[in-house]
Amino acid sequence: MSNTNPNSHLVASSGFFTGLHPGMGLAAKGMVLAFVLFTVLNVDFAGGVYGAIRGWIEGALSWYYISAVTGMLIVCFFLMFSKYGSIKLGDDDSKPEFRNFSWFAMLFSAGVGIGILFFGVAEPIFYFDNSGAFGYPNNPHADMNGNTGMDMQRAVDAMRVTYFHWGFHGWAVYVIVGLCLAYFGFRKKLPLTMRSALFPLIGDKIYGPIGHAVDLLAVFGTVFGVATSLGLGVNQMATGLNVLFGIDPGITTQLILIAVISVIATLSAVSGVGNGIRIISEWNIWLSIILLAAFIALGPFKWLMGFFVTSLGDYLWNVIPMGFWTAGEPGNAAWQGGWTIFYWGWWISWAPFVGMFIARISRGRTIREFMVGVMFVPTTIAFFWLCMFGGNAIWQELTAAGGPAAAGGAGIIETVRAWNLPNALYGTIANLGTTSWAGDMSWLQWPLSALATFLLASWFITSSDSGTLVITTMLSMGDDNPPKVFRIVWGLGEGFVAGVLLLAGGLAALQTASIAAAFPISFVLIAMTWGLVKSLSTDPSAVPRPEADYAPDGTRMQQDLHA
């Protein structure tokens, strides 16, 4: 890891902001304070403003989000199999900083770890349901296929839509941002910040107001994305503590959880990528494997394996038309805006944060290695996880007395209809013990619920510490070892913001604002993609070498180290 910042002339060498860009530091703090105050001083008004913006985007610009995300996916596959695939993200002789297991663990932790634990049961069950309890179809894709009954065919459609929202399209957004930052930061020696990807388009103007605005937008998405997710996520952790110990899951418990997680995450961020973040990410993977194994072993193993193969094949067969589908009928349009467009906005708003972190841990890998690793490994793991969790819940409903339409049933559909999403996971765990092939295994409910609750906290820790590192890296103009004092300030600051918003009831409002922020961020991502392709087209490593660069036996000579 580099201990010197190649862009040190752009940051303060003395005073309070030593190691950071003073203007960016002040602007970032002012921006965070302004948005928090605007939200908490009149939560209802702020929520209305944010909601109106988001509603307009989801209603009028769904075609734009669909086109932008699908376009980035197409670019990803083009670059993956193009002549540019052999280019190193760094000097030609650079080597990967982390072994593959550590790399995959951190990719998964930063990208989807907490999300698929939170939504792993609730989302497939929502799409499996056919009640239309929220004023629009639960799953228009299933309805258009004629699968309107809660049966096996609708179950496959439910998993297909879940894979769609957590699959290739979303990860393509992360891949594009991560690749741009790694390429321009490590190969072109520009600051490891969002602005650098615009260098082929605007040149040195990236160091002026345009560059500052781009990076501040990225800081906004990171701070409020992590803070609102932390604040909303502790609700599920508190639910877990209530299941385990009978602790009141109210505001006090949630604030204590925010404080504990923020302190641990800050300590992890201060220790650096190679220590705290890597170690916690690796432990997350091992513990997640244990929980996943329990869902497989205690569930209907043969049915789950067949369901995974069938539903995955269904997704791969339909992923292209699903990616281009734009709803026209009002009910379907409302569903698409509330789910698909919401997800595309969420992926885009988190892209600067996750993409920056992915870039930070990917120095020394080739473009093809990077794209295959980031695109396929996390998605494959996520698909399997979602099927084991969502599949168990669906199977429990299918085999419950009277079937899924019966009042009560397995209880999971009713929980999701009541929008009590945190309890859907724990309800499924409770049913695992009573429906096990090995007999009554209900004694496993407590340890499995404890493990799930612990993983919720640890996944949030990895998201928070990664976010802290990303924020301070951008404010220090790309230093991959930013000043520790500011990691502490921003790490604790994320927790403070989450706590204040939770107390004021403004978390949901600011989450809506974060999604709305995806609209301007999307233009930055499109410009970054254009800049990346433009720069790659002139990279000496991607064009045939003159005859003189070949040895007499026809083998390639060493590439130009100054490319």
Side-chain angles (χ1 to χ4, degrees), residues 415-435:
T415 299
V416 174
R417 283 178 186 171
W419 207 244
N420 189 2
L421 302 189
N423 260 326
L425 172 62
Y426 294 102
T428 304
I429 291 175
N431 290 337
L432 279 177
T434 58
T435 59

Side-chain angles (χ1 to χ4, degrees), residues 24-39:
M24 288 285 292
L26 284 171
K29 289 181 175 61
M31 174 187 65
V32 170
L33 180 61
F35 271 89
V36 170
L37 288 176
F38 175 72
T39 303

Side-chain angles (χ1 to χ4, degrees), residues 436-452:
S436 169
W437 58 269
D440 186 6
M441 302 286 285
S442 57
W443 60 272
L444 282 174
Q445 177 184 352
W446 197 95
L448 290 178
S449 296
L451 179 57

Side-chain angles (χ1 to χ4, degrees), residues 337-351:
W339 286 95
T340 300
I341 304 306
F342 168 84
Y343 266 117
W344 287 181
W346 191 246
W347 284 96
I348 291 171
S349 68
W350 272 63

Side-chain angles (χ1 to χ4, degrees), residues 125 128 149-156 303 307 391-405 409-410 413:
I125 283 291
F128 177 63
M150 285 190 284
D151 52 20
M152 188 61 186
Q153 287 73 30
R154 190 174 181 89
V156 171
W303 185 90
F307 187 51
N392 261 297
I394 289 173
W395 182 81
Q396 290 170 10
E397 289 289 0
L398 285 171
T399 57
I413 289 178

Side-chain angles (χ1 to χ4, degrees), residues 528-541:
M528 291 173 68
T529 305
W530 180 18
L532 174 67
V533 174
K534 181 178 180 180
S535 184
L536 284 173
S537 66
T538 60
D539 193 303
S541 297

Side-chain angles (χ1 to χ4, degrees), residues 142-333:
D143 295 343
M144 288 186 293
N145 286 340
N147 299 325
T148 56
M150 285 190 284
D151 52 20
M152 188 61 186
Q153 287 73 30
R154 190 174 181 89
V156 171
D157 287 331
M159 289 311 308
R160 166 161 55 98
V161 177
T162 305
Y163 296 155
F164 177 57
H165 289 153
W166 292 93
F168 297 141
H169 284 77
W171 273 94
V173 179
Y174 287 173
V175 168
I176 286 292
V177 176
L179 179 60
C180 286
L181 295 174
Y183 177 76
F184 288 105
F186 300 140
R187 187 164 186 87
K188 297 300 184 181
K189 312 305 181 187
L190 291 168
L192 188 61
T193 61
M194 292 284 288
R195 70 178 73 203
S196 295
L198 303 181
F199 186 84
L201 306 179
I202 62 175
D204 288 338
K205 291 181 180 179
I206 64 169
Y207 299 109
I210 295 177
H212 296 340
V214 167
D215 283 350
L216 285 174
L217 197 58
V219 170
F220 176 91
T222 302
V223 172
F224 293 119
V226 171
T228 53
S229 296
L230 174 60
L232 295 172
V234 294
N235 183 26
Q236 191 172 35
M237 294 178 223
T239 299
L241 293 178
N242 179 257
V243 170
L244 296 169
F245 305 109
I247 296 174
D248 179 17
I251 295 294
T252 300
T253 300
Q254 294 179 40
L255 288 175
I256 293 173
L257 286 170
I258 288 176
V260 172
I261 290 172
S262 297
V263 170
I264 297 174
T266 300
L267 292 174
S268 175
V270 169
S271 68
V273 175
N275 295 309
I277 296 176
R278 176 186 62 82
I279 293 170
I280 295 176
S281 296
E282 290 179 356
W283 271 104
N284 280 348
I285 294 297
W286 290 117
L287 293 174
S288 296
I289 289 174
I290 294 173
L291 183 61
L292 181 62
F295 269 72
I296 296 172
L298 297 177
F301 176 79
K302 182 179 178 180
W303 185 90
L304 286 172
M305 295 303 107
F307 187 51
F308 175 64
V309 172
T310 301
S311 58
L312 181 61
D314 189 55
Y315 164 73
L316 294 175
W317 183 259
N318 290 284
V319 62
I320 294 177
M322 287 181 73
F324 284 100
W325 178 66
T326 303
E329 192 272 332
N332 291 348

